[in-house]
């Protein structure tokens, strides 16, 4: 079975690497294509084709996924799309994506939490750099 979701992540961020390593180790990861934005040759903004609607700066600043149909999703909604692929995380995806009368009441709260995480991400990444990082977090 091929990938039905593409995840763009910042491999230069120790926190991001650890999180992606966690997802890669889960059953269902074979359906996800992981694109490291900090991989070889990625320093040149024109060196990677991220598809329509996404440039390297935006991809590094915020979590993005692309569905098989080309739809681009970011932030908390993107995490929910990723979590759908993993049995232990589906409940959280369902909760975030829960619809009541055509509205997703929990998504704004999940998005607010995600935006707060962006503020503390540099601090957490610095703390993780100070620790030993073996192959499991790459």
């Amino acid at each position: 079975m091929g990938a039905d979701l593409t995840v763009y992540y910042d491999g230069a961020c120790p926190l991001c690497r650890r999180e992606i390593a966690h997802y890669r180790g889960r059953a269902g990861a074979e359906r996800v294509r992981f694109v490291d934005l900090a991989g070889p040759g990625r320093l040149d903004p024109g060196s990677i084709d991220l598809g329509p609607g996404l440039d390297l700066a935006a991809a590094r600043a915020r979590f993005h996924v692309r569905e098989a149909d080309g739809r681009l999703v970011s932030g908390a909604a993107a995490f929910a799309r990723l979590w759908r692929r993993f049995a232990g995380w589906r409940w959280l995806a369902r909760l975030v994506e829960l619809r009541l009368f055509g509205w997703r009441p929990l998504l704004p709260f999940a998005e607010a939490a995600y935006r707060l995480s962006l503020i503390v991400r540099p601090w957490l990444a610095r703390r993780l750099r100070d620790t030993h990082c073996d192959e499991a977090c790459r």
Side-chain angles (χ1 to χ4, degrees):
M1 175 183 260
D4 62 359
L5 186 76
T6 300
V7 171
Y8 303 99
Y9 73 98
D10 183 0
C13 167
L15 181 65
C16 303
R17 279 196 316 266
R18 285 185 182 196
E19 185 167 10
I20 294 301
H22 168 77
Y23 295 132
R24 283 185 173 183
R26 312 279 306 179
E30 67 281 354
R31 295 174 34 214
V32 180
R33 179 177 163 241
F34 294 95
V35 176
D36 180 356
L37 301 170
R42 301 295 200 296
L43 297 177
D44 172 21
S47 68
I48 182 171
D49 179 19
L50 300 174
L54 185 62
D55 62 31
L56 192 56
R60 283 184 174 153
R62 188 170 164 83
F63 185 69
H64 289 79
V65 300
R66 189 174 302 277
E67 297 276 3
D69 66 4
R71 233 173 335 154
L72 187 64
V73 183
S74 71
F79 275 102
R81 300 286 170 85
L82 177 60
W83 296 335
R84 283 184 195 175
R85 273 72 184 172
F86 307 116
W89 289 91
R90 279 190 199 114
W91 69 272
L92 189 54
R94 288 184 184 123
L95 187 64
V96 169
E97 294 179 325
L98 176 73
R99 285 187 182 270
L100 295 173
F101 306 108
W103 182 60
R104 293 181 183 160
L106 299 178
L107 185 58
F109 295 103
E111 181 63 25
Y114 171 72
R115 287 179 184 210
L116 284 173
S117 78
L118 292 177
I119 294 168
V120 299
R121 179 180 120 164
W123 180 84
L124 288 172
R126 281 193 303 275
R127 297 305 169 270
L128 289 174
R129 275 195 197 107
D130 293 339
T131 63
H132 175 70
C133 183
D134 60 13
E135 289 302 311
C137 72
R138 299 203 184 280

